[in-house]
Amino acid sequence: VQLQASGGGLVQPGGSLTLSCTASGFTLDGVSVAWFRQAPGKEREGVSCIGSSDDSVYYRNTVKGRFTISRDKAKNTVNLQMNRLKSEDTAVYYCAFNGRVVSGCSTDPHGQDAWGKGTLVTVSS
C-alpha cells in the first residue's frame, strides 16, 4: 500500500497547479481520500476530501471556489486542481486515505490509514 503525491512546484500568485495522489497496491475507488497541507511552523490542516461511496466533496473555507478535487478512476488517482493561488497556500501538500469511512469523507489527520510523501507548493512572485 503506497500513496504518492506529485505536482507541486513554484507558481506566481494567481497561478494554477494540479496535484495528483497516486495509489499503488490498492484502489482509491470507494475510499475517502483527503488532501492536507502543512506550512512552516503551522499544524497540518485538511484542505479537501472526496467521499468514499458517493464522491461527495468537502473544502475548507479558505480554498472554496479556487480548488477542485476529483477522481480519475482509470489512473487510480485523486487530483487537486488549485486555481487563483495565494501566498498563504504555500505549504507541503500531502494526500491520505481512510478506508473505514462508509459515507462521505474525512479530513481528520489522526484518522487516516496511510499517507503519501508530501509535495511542496510555493506561491511567490
Side-chain angles (χ1 to χ4, degrees):
V1 174
Q2 194 170 19
L3 288 176
Q4 179 66 52
S6 62
L10 173 64
V11 63
Q12 292 186 341
S16 299
L17 280 175
T18 299
L19 305 183
S20 294
C21 178
T22 303
S24 57
F26 72 107
T27 178
L28 289 176
D29 190 15
V31 299
S32 167
V33 180
W35 282 96
F36 297 82
R37 67 186 180 187
Q38 188 165 19
K42 295 188 177 180
E43 291 187 356
R44 190 169 298 189
E45 61 183 21
V47 175
S48 178
C49 62
I50 188 164
S52 57
S53 59
D54 58 359
D55 280 356
S56 57
V57 297
Y58 159 84
Y59 301 98
R60 69 181 299 111
N61 286 338
T62 53
V63 308
K64 277 182 183 177
R66 300 188 298 121
F67 290 11
T68 303
I69 192 170
S70 63
R71 291 187 194 272
D72 185 333
K73 296 182 180 180
K75 295 182 179 179
N76 201 25
T77 62
V78 170
N79 298 318
L80 185 69
Q81 172 69 42
M82 306 186 297
N83 298 325
R84 304 200 310 275
L85 283 161
K86 305 176 181 180
S87 58
E88 51 262 44
D89 295 318
T90 295
V92 178
Y93 284 71
Y94 301 87
C95 62
F97 85 93
N98 183 329
R100 293 165 284 113
V101 176
V102 175
S103 179
C105 62
S106 170
T107 56
D108 176 4
H110 304 293
Q112 305 301 315
D113 293 323
W115 294 81
K117 291 183 179 179
T119 185
L120 176 63
V121 172
T122 304
V123 185
S124 174
S125 56

